[in-house]
Amino acid sequence: MIGGGMMGEALLSRLVVEQVYLPDDMVVSEPQVKRQEFLAQQYGVQVTGENRLAANAIEVLFLAIKPQVFEQVAVSLSAHDRHPATLVISILAGTPLKTLESAFPGQPVIRAMPNTPAAVGAGITAIAAGQHAQAHHLELARRILETVGEVVEVPESMMDAVTGLSGSGPGYVALMIEALADGGVAAGLPRAIAMKLALQTVRGTAQLLQEEGIHPGELKDRVTSPGGTTIAGIAALEKSGFRSAVIEAVRAAWMRSKELGQKS
Ligand SMILES: NC(=O)C1=CN([C@@H]2O[C@H](COP(=O)(O)OP(=O)(O)OC[C@H]3O[C@@H](n4cnc5c(N)ncnc54)[C@H](OP(=O)(O)O)[C@@H]3O)[C@@H](O)[C@H]2O)C=CC1
Ligand SMILES: O=C(O)[C@@H]1CCC=N1
């Protein structure tokens, strides 16, 4: 694994728990010594500050660095460190398969977009296969990424949209939860109770929609008693352009993902 930051650690921790790889069989390359020490101590993985050492003779090269340092990292892996059979899995936002494939010519490459609930095994990851990836590579990528949640396969042309929705989505939902709790506090609730209510309301709503398979509009209709409280709240949300704000958030993140791709 190149890059042992937030997402890298989320995946590592789940790979250890699910025993897909033994900690000893994983090498993480990470520039900060303190971070290396933490990852080694916490998960028992091997650590290095040298990307080329991590990339030598391995089954999977997992890229979890920021898109902005991809070029520098690709250069740091000289051609003789790259094995043609090594599967490259990248979670870099906006970094297209063609950029990845030109850095790893002839190698099987999979572009993936996970999200932060990965850290607790409740994420969702979209994957798109490069031209040299075969069925067994996709199967291996699924086995790895299913440790952090669900996996869906999409055409690469959809990856920027996926990034705008589920990749960045936890940020929007976190904002919504914080705002719900703030609303509760404004209405006189203690902060801790407001947060507990906000969290379980979002979790329970998602679970209900998923388990019953109903349309969100139907659930909204169920909650809104005639002349009641919910319709008053919804009217206020509509007046403030809530739906439009959420749609625009996904669109802005989608555009940013495309922009990152044009720069690479
Ligand atoms: N955060 C998220 O929700 C999601 C992120 N992603 C993608 O995952 C990737 C990582 O994101 P995230 O984990 O949030 O970012 P982090 O900054 O937490 O992790 C990146 C890690 O890479 C390290 N790093 C920097 N330069 C190098 C280098 N030259 N060689 C090896 N390691 C290096 C960083 O070290 P240092 O801090 O010292 O620079 C850092 O520890 C990004 O490409 C992002 O687009 C995808 C889906 C969701
Ligand atoms: O904000 C970002 O760029 C990354 C990609 C998706 C979520 N976080």
Side-chain angles (χ1 to χ4, degrees), residues 1-9 29-32 35 49 51 63-69 72-73 76 90-95 112-116 163 166-168 170 260:
M1 176 176 286
I2 311 285
M6 212 278 306
M7 286 307 287
E9 182 185 351
S29 176
E30 169 59 43
Q32 282 184 53
R35 185 74 184 156
N51 289 336
L63 300 175
I65 31 124
K66 296 244 184 267
Q68 290 85 348
V69 299
Q72 175 201 330
V73 167
S76 72
S90 160
I91 61 165
L92 278 57
T95 307
M113 179 46 55
N115 63 5
T116 39
T163 306
S166 56
S168 297
L260 284 171

Short mmCIF file of all heavy atoms in Angstrom, two decimals, residues 1-9 29-32 35 49 51 63-69 72-73 76 90-95 112-116 163 166-168 170 260, ligand 1:
data_model
loop_
_atom_site.label_atom_id
_atom_site.label_comp_id
_atom_site.label_asym_id
_atom_site.label_seq_id
_atom_site.Cartn_x
_atom_site.Cartn_y
_atom_site.Cartn_z
N MET A 1 0.84 -1.18 0.00
CA MET A 1 0.00 0.00 0.00
C MET A 1 0.88 1.23 0.00
O MET A 1 1.77 1.36 0.82
CB MET A 1 -0.89 -0.01 1.25
CG MET A 1 -1.73 1.24 1.38
SD MET A 1 -2.84 1.11 2.78
CE MET A 1 -4.06 -0.04 2.18
N ILE A 2 0.60 2.15 -0.94
CA ILE A 2 1.33 3.41 -0.96
C ILE A 2 0.40 4.48 -0.39
O ILE A 2 -0.63 4.79 -0.98
CB ILE A 2 1.74 3.82 -2.41
CG1 ILE A 2 2.41 2.65 -3.17
CG2 ILE A 2 2.63 5.05 -2.39
CD1 ILE A 2 3.82 2.33 -2.78
N GLY A 3 0.76 5.01 0.78
CA GLY A 3 -0.06 6.02 1.47
C GLY A 3 -0.87 5.39 2.59
O GLY A 3 -1.88 4.74 2.34
N GLY A 4 -0.39 5.59 3.80
CA GLY A 4 -1.09 5.01 4.96
C GLY A 4 -1.86 6.10 5.71
O GLY A 4 -1.74 6.23 6.93
N GLY A 5 -2.65 6.88 4.98
CA GLY A 5 -3.45 7.94 5.61
C GLY A 5 -4.80 7.41 6.06
O GLY A 5 -4.95 6.23 6.40
N MET A 6 -5.79 8.29 6.02
CA MET A 6 -7.12 7.97 6.54
C MET A 6 -7.74 6.74 5.82
O MET A 6 -8.11 5.77 6.46
CB MET A 6 -8.00 9.21 6.33
CG MET A 6 -9.06 9.41 7.36
SD MET A 6 -10.47 8.41 7.03
CE MET A 6 -10.83 8.87 5.36
N MET A 7 -7.79 6.79 4.49
CA MET A 7 -8.43 5.69 3.76
C MET A 7 -7.56 4.44 3.76
O MET A 7 -8.06 3.32 3.85
CB MET A 7 -8.75 6.09 2.30
CG MET A 7 -9.91 7.03 2.15
SD MET A 7 -11.43 6.46 2.96
CE MET A 7 -11.94 5.14 1.89
N GLY A 8 -6.25 4.64 3.66
CA GLY A 8 -5.34 3.50 3.70
C GLY A 8 -5.51 2.74 5.01
O GLY A 8 -5.63 1.50 5.02
N GLU A 9 -5.55 3.48 6.10
CA GLU A 9 -5.70 2.83 7.41
C GLU A 9 -7.05 2.11 7.52
O GLU A 9 -7.12 1.00 8.06
CB GLU A 9 -5.57 3.86 8.55
CG GLU A 9 -5.66 3.18 9.90
CD GLU A 9 -5.66 4.15 11.08
OE1 GLU A 9 -5.42 5.35 10.90
OE2 GLU A 9 -5.94 3.66 12.21
N SER A 29 3.83 1.95 2.62
CA SER A 29 4.82 3.01 2.43
C SER A 29 4.19 4.35 2.79
O SER A 29 3.14 4.71 2.27
CB SER A 29 5.30 3.03 0.98
OG SER A 29 6.19 4.10 0.82
N GLU A 30 4.87 5.04 3.67
CA GLU A 30 4.29 6.24 4.27
C GLU A 30 5.44 7.16 4.67
O GLU A 30 6.38 6.71 5.32
CB GLU A 30 3.46 5.76 5.50
CG GLU A 30 2.98 6.80 6.43
CD GLU A 30 2.11 7.84 5.78
OE1 GLU A 30 1.23 7.51 4.95
OE2 GLU A 30 2.32 9.03 6.08
N PRO A 31 5.41 8.44 4.25
CA PRO A 31 6.58 9.28 4.52
C PRO A 31 6.84 9.60 5.99
O PRO A 31 7.99 9.69 6.40
CB PRO A 31 6.29 10.57 3.73
CG PRO A 31 4.89 10.52 3.29
CD PRO A 31 4.39 9.12 3.44
N GLN A 32 5.78 9.76 6.80
CA GLN A 32 6.00 10.20 8.19
C GLN A 32 6.39 9.04 9.10
O GLN A 32 5.63 8.06 9.21
CB GLN A 32 4.71 10.79 8.74
CG GLN A 32 4.42 12.19 8.29
CD GLN A 32 3.17 12.70 8.98
OE1 GLN A 32 3.07 12.66 10.20
NE2 GLN A 32 2.21 13.13 8.18
N ARG A 35 3.84 8.17 11.77
CA ARG A 35 2.68 7.46 11.19
C ARG A 35 3.08 5.99 10.93
O ARG A 35 2.31 5.07 11.17
CB ARG A 35 2.27 8.17 9.90
CG ARG A 35 1.03 7.64 9.25
CD ARG A 35 -0.23 8.02 9.99
NE ARG A 35 -1.39 7.39 9.36
CZ ARG A 35 -2.52 7.14 9.97
NH1 ARG A 35 -2.70 7.47 11.22
NH2 ARG A 35 -3.51 6.56 9.33
N GLY A 49 9.51 3.88 4.30
CA GLY A 49 9.37 5.21 3.73
C GLY A 49 9.73 5.20 2.26
O GLY A 49 9.76 6.22 1.59
N ASN A 51 8.82 3.92 -1.37
CA ASN A 51 7.77 3.34 -2.20
C ASN A 51 8.24 2.11 -2.98
O ASN A 51 7.52 1.14 -3.13
CB ASN A 51 7.23 4.38 -3.18
CG ASN A 51 6.43 5.45 -2.47
OD1 ASN A 51 5.91 5.20 -1.38
ND2 ASN A 51 6.33 6.61 -3.05
N LEU A 63 -2.96 1.92 -4.21
CA LEU A 63 -2.59 3.34 -4.17
C LEU A 63 -3.59 4.13 -3.36
O LEU A 63 -4.76 4.23 -3.74
CB LEU A 63 -2.52 3.91 -5.60
CG LEU A 63 -1.51 3.24 -6.54
CD1 LEU A 63 -1.64 3.81 -7.94
CD2 LEU A 63 -0.08 3.42 -6.01
N ALA A 64 -3.15 4.68 -2.22
CA ALA A 64 -4.04 5.44 -1.34
C ALA A 64 -3.42 6.79 -1.00
O ALA A 64 -3.54 7.28 0.12
CB ALA A 64 -4.34 4.64 -0.08
N ILE A 65 -2.73 7.36 -2.00
CA ILE A 65 -2.15 8.70 -1.83
C ILE A 65 -3.11 9.71 -2.45
O ILE A 65 -4.05 9.34 -3.15
CB ILE A 65 -0.77 8.80 -2.53
CG1 ILE A 65 -0.76 7.88 -3.76
CG2 ILE A 65 0.36 8.33 -1.63
CD1 ILE A 65 -0.47 8.38 -5.01
N LYS A 66 -2.84 11.00 -2.24
CA LYS A 66 -3.67 12.04 -2.83
C LYS A 66 -3.40 12.11 -4.34
O LYS A 66 -2.26 11.89 -4.77
CB LYS A 66 -3.33 13.40 -2.21
CG LYS A 66 -3.63 13.48 -0.74
CD LYS A 66 -4.71 14.51 -0.48
CE LYS A 66 -4.98 14.69 0.99
NZ LYS A 66 -6.05 13.84 1.47
N PRO A 67 -4.43 12.44 -5.14
CA PRO A 67 -4.21 12.52 -6.59
C PRO A 67 -3.08 13.49 -6.95
O PRO A 67 -2.34 13.27 -7.90
CB PRO A 67 -5.54 13.07 -7.13
CG PRO A 67 -6.54 12.96 -6.03
CD PRO A 67 -5.80 12.78 -4.74
N GLN A 68 -2.92 14.53 -6.13
CA GLN A 68 -1.91 15.56 -6.43
C GLN A 68 -0.47 15.03 -6.35
O GLN A 68 0.43 15.66 -6.91
CB GLN A 68 -2.07 16.75 -5.46
CG GLN A 68 -3.32 17.59 -5.69
CD GLN A 68 -4.57 17.06 -4.98
OE1 GLN A 68 -4.59 15.94 -4.48
NE2 GLN A 68 -5.64 17.85 -4.96
N VAL A 69 -0.24 13.91 -5.64
CA VAL A 69 1.14 13.39 -5.57
C VAL A 69 1.33 12.14 -6.43
O VAL A 69 2.38 11.50 -6.39
CB VAL A 69 1.60 13.10 -4.10
CG1 VAL A 69 1.60 14.36 -3.27
CG2 VAL A 69 0.79 12.00 -3.44
N GLN A 72 4.43 12.10 -8.83
CA GLN A 72 5.67 11.96 -8.06
C GLN A 72 5.84 10.51 -7.57
O GLN A 72 6.93 9.94 -7.63
CB GLN A 72 5.57 12.93 -6.88
CG GLN A 72 6.66 12.91 -5.87
CD GLN A 72 6.18 13.53 -4.55
OE1 GLN A 72 5.31 14.42 -4.54
NE2 GLN A 72 6.73 13.05 -3.45
N VAL A 73 4.75 9.90 -7.14
CA VAL A 73 4.80 8.52 -6.65
C VAL A 73 5.10 7.56 -7.81
O VAL A 73 5.93 6.66 -7.69
CB VAL A 73 3.49 8.13 -5.93
CG1 VAL A 73 3.41 6.62 -5.71
CG2 VAL A 73 3.39 8.87 -4.60
N SER A 76 8.59 7.59 -8.54
CA SER A 76 9.43 6.95 -7.50
C SER A 76 9.44 5.42 -7.63
O SER A 76 10.27 4.76 -7.02
CB SER A 76 8.95 7.36 -6.10
OG SER A 76 7.72 6.73 -5.80
N SER A 90 -6.34 1.58 -7.51
CA SER A 90 -6.22 2.99 -7.12
C SER A 90 -7.54 3.51 -6.58
O SER A 90 -8.58 3.26 -7.17
CB SER A 90 -5.82 3.81 -8.36
OG SER A 90 -6.13 5.18 -8.14
N ILE A 91 -7.45 4.25 -5.46
CA ILE A 91 -8.67 4.89 -4.94
C ILE A 91 -8.59 6.40 -5.13
O ILE A 91 -9.33 7.15 -4.50
CB ILE A 91 -8.93 4.53 -3.46
CG1 ILE A 91 -7.78 4.99 -2.55
CG2 ILE A 91 -9.20 3.05 -3.28
CD1 ILE A 91 -8.16 4.99 -1.06
N LEU A 92 -7.69 6.85 -5.99
CA LEU A 92 -7.46 8.29 -6.15
C LEU A 92 -8.64 8.96 -6.85
O LEU A 92 -9.02 8.58 -7.96
CB LEU A 92 -6.19 8.52 -6.99
CG LEU A 92 -4.86 8.46 -6.27
CD1 LEU A 92 -4.62 7.14 -5.56
CD2 LEU A 92 -3.73 8.74 -7.23
N ALA A 93 -9.19 9.98 -6.21
CA ALA A 93 -10.31 10.70 -6.81
C ALA A 93 -9.87 11.32 -8.13
O ALA A 93 -8.77 11.88 -8.24
CB ALA A 93 -10.80 11.79 -5.86
N GLY A 94 -10.73 11.18 -9.14
CA GLY A 94 -10.52 11.87 -10.41
C GLY A 94 -9.36 11.37 -11.26
O GLY A 94 -9.12 11.93 -12.32
N THR A 95 -8.66 10.35 -10.84
CA THR A 95 -7.49 9.90 -11.62
C THR A 95 -7.91 8.77 -12.56
O THR A 95 -8.22 7.67 -12.10
CB THR A 95 -6.35 9.47 -10.68
OG1 THR A 95 -6.10 10.54 -9.77
CG2 THR A 95 -5.08 9.16 -11.45
N ALA A 112 -10.96 2.47 -8.21
CA ALA A 112 -12.01 2.24 -7.22
C ALA A 112 -12.34 3.55 -6.50
O ALA A 112 -11.49 4.43 -6.39
CB ALA A 112 -11.54 1.20 -6.19
N MET A 113 -13.57 3.70 -6.05
CA MET A 113 -13.95 4.85 -5.24
C MET A 113 -14.73 4.36 -4.01
O MET A 113 -15.91 4.04 -4.09
CB MET A 113 -14.81 5.82 -6.07
CG MET A 113 -15.30 7.05 -5.33
SD MET A 113 -14.07 7.96 -4.31
CE MET A 113 -12.74 8.34 -5.45
N PRO A 114 -14.03 4.24 -2.88
CA PRO A 114 -14.70 3.85 -1.63
C PRO A 114 -15.24 5.10 -0.92
O PRO A 114 -15.25 6.18 -1.50
CB PRO A 114 -13.56 3.22 -0.83
CG PRO A 114 -12.32 3.90 -1.32
CD PRO A 114 -12.59 4.42 -2.71
N ASN A 115 -15.71 4.95 0.30
CA ASN A 115 -16.06 6.13 1.09
C ASN A 115 -15.72 5.90 2.57
O ASN A 115 -15.39 4.78 2.96
CB ASN A 115 -17.52 6.58 0.86
CG ASN A 115 -18.56 5.56 1.28
OD1 ASN A 115 -18.22 4.52 1.85
ND2 ASN A 115 -19.81 5.84 1.02
N THR A 116 -15.81 6.96 3.37
CA THR A 116 -15.27 6.88 4.74
C THR A 116 -15.96 5.87 5.67
O THR A 116 -15.30 5.35 6.56
CB THR A 116 -15.27 8.26 5.46
OG1 THR A 116 -16.45 8.94 5.11
CG2 THR A 116 -14.06 9.06 5.09
N THR A 163 -18.00 9.55 -7.35
CA THR A 163 -17.19 10.31 -6.39
C THR A 163 -18.01 11.46 -5.80
O THR A 163 -17.98 11.70 -4.59
CB THR A 163 -15.93 10.86 -7.11
OG1 THR A 163 -15.27 9.76 -7.73
CG2 THR A 163 -14.99 11.56 -6.14
N SER A 166 -21.37 9.08 -3.59
CA SER A 166 -21.02 8.26 -2.41
C SER A 166 -19.62 8.53 -1.87
O SER A 166 -19.38 8.39 -0.67
CB SER A 166 -21.18 6.78 -2.73
OG SER A 166 -20.38 6.44 -3.86
N GLY A 167 -18.68 8.94 -2.76
CA GLY A 167 -17.32 9.22 -2.28
C GLY A 167 -17.33 10.41 -1.32
O GLY A 167 -16.81 10.34 -0.21
N SER A 168 -17.95 11.50 -1.78
CA SER A 168 -17.99 12.72 -0.96
C SER A 168 -19.20 12.76 -0.05
O SER A 168 -19.24 13.55 0.91
CB SER A 168 -18.02 13.95 -1.89
OG SER A 168 -16.84 14.01 -2.64
N PRO A 170 -20.50 11.16 2.51
CA PRO A 170 -20.45 11.17 3.98
C PRO A 170 -20.23 12.58 4.54
O PRO A 170 -20.71 12.90 5.63
CB PRO A 170 -19.27 10.24 4.30
CG PRO A 170 -19.24 9.29 3.15
CD PRO A 170 -19.62 10.12 1.94
N LEU A 260 -9.95 17.25 -11.58
CA LEU A 260 -8.72 16.58 -11.11
C LEU A 260 -8.19 15.66 -12.19
O LEU A 260 -6.99 15.53 -12.39
CB LEU A 260 -9.00 15.79 -9.83
CG LEU A 260 -9.15 16.58 -8.53
CD1 LEU A 260 -9.63 15.67 -7.40
CD2 LEU A 260 -7.84 17.25 -8.13
N1 LIG B 1 -11.09 10.59 2.42
C1 LIG B 1 -12.07 10.02 1.74
O1 LIG B 1 -13.24 10.04 2.13
C2 LIG B 1 -11.79 9.34 0.45
C3 LIG B 1 -10.56 9.46 -0.17
N2 LIG B 1 -10.33 8.85 -1.37
C4 LIG B 1 -9.04 8.98 -1.99
O2 LIG B 1 -8.11 8.32 -1.16
C5 LIG B 1 -6.83 8.92 -1.30
C6 LIG B 1 -6.27 9.17 0.08
O3 LIG B 1 -7.13 10.05 0.77
P1 LIG B 1 -7.05 10.21 2.35
O4 LIG B 1 -6.75 8.90 2.98
O5 LIG B 1 -8.23 11.00 2.72
O6 LIG B 1 -5.75 11.16 2.44
P2 LIG B 1 -4.60 11.18 3.54
O7 LIG B 1 -3.88 12.47 3.36
O8 LIG B 1 -5.16 10.85 4.87
O9 LIG B 1 -3.66 9.97 3.09
C7 LIG B 1 -2.67 10.06 2.13
C8 LIG B 1 -1.40 9.50 2.75
O10 LIG B 1 -0.39 9.41 1.75
C9 LIG B 1 0.83 9.87 2.33
N3 LIG B 1 1.76 10.30 1.28
C10 LIG B 1 1.98 11.56 0.82
N4 LIG B 1 2.96 11.54 -0.11
C11 LIG B 1 3.36 10.25 -0.24
C12 LIG B 1 4.34 9.60 -1.02
N5 LIG B 1 5.09 10.29 -1.90
N6 LIG B 1 4.49 8.26 -0.89
C13 LIG B 1 3.73 7.56 -0.03
N7 LIG B 1 2.78 8.13 0.76
C14 LIG B 1 2.59 9.46 0.65
C15 LIG B 1 0.40 11.01 3.22
O11 LIG B 1 1.41 11.33 4.14
P3 LIG B 1 1.52 12.88 4.64
O12 LIG B 1 0.30 13.13 5.46
O13 LIG B 1 2.79 12.91 5.40
O14 LIG B 1 1.56 13.74 3.40
C16 LIG B 1 -0.85 10.41 3.86
O15 LIG B 1 -0.53 9.65 4.99
C17 LIG B 1 -7.04 10.18 -2.13
O16 LIG B 1 -6.54 9.94 -3.43
C18 LIG B 1 -8.53 10.39 -2.15
O17 LIG B 1 -8.95 10.95 -3.38
C19 LIG B 1 -11.27 8.05 -1.95
C20 LIG B 1 -12.48 7.88 -1.37
C21 LIG B 1 -12.86 8.53 -0.15
#
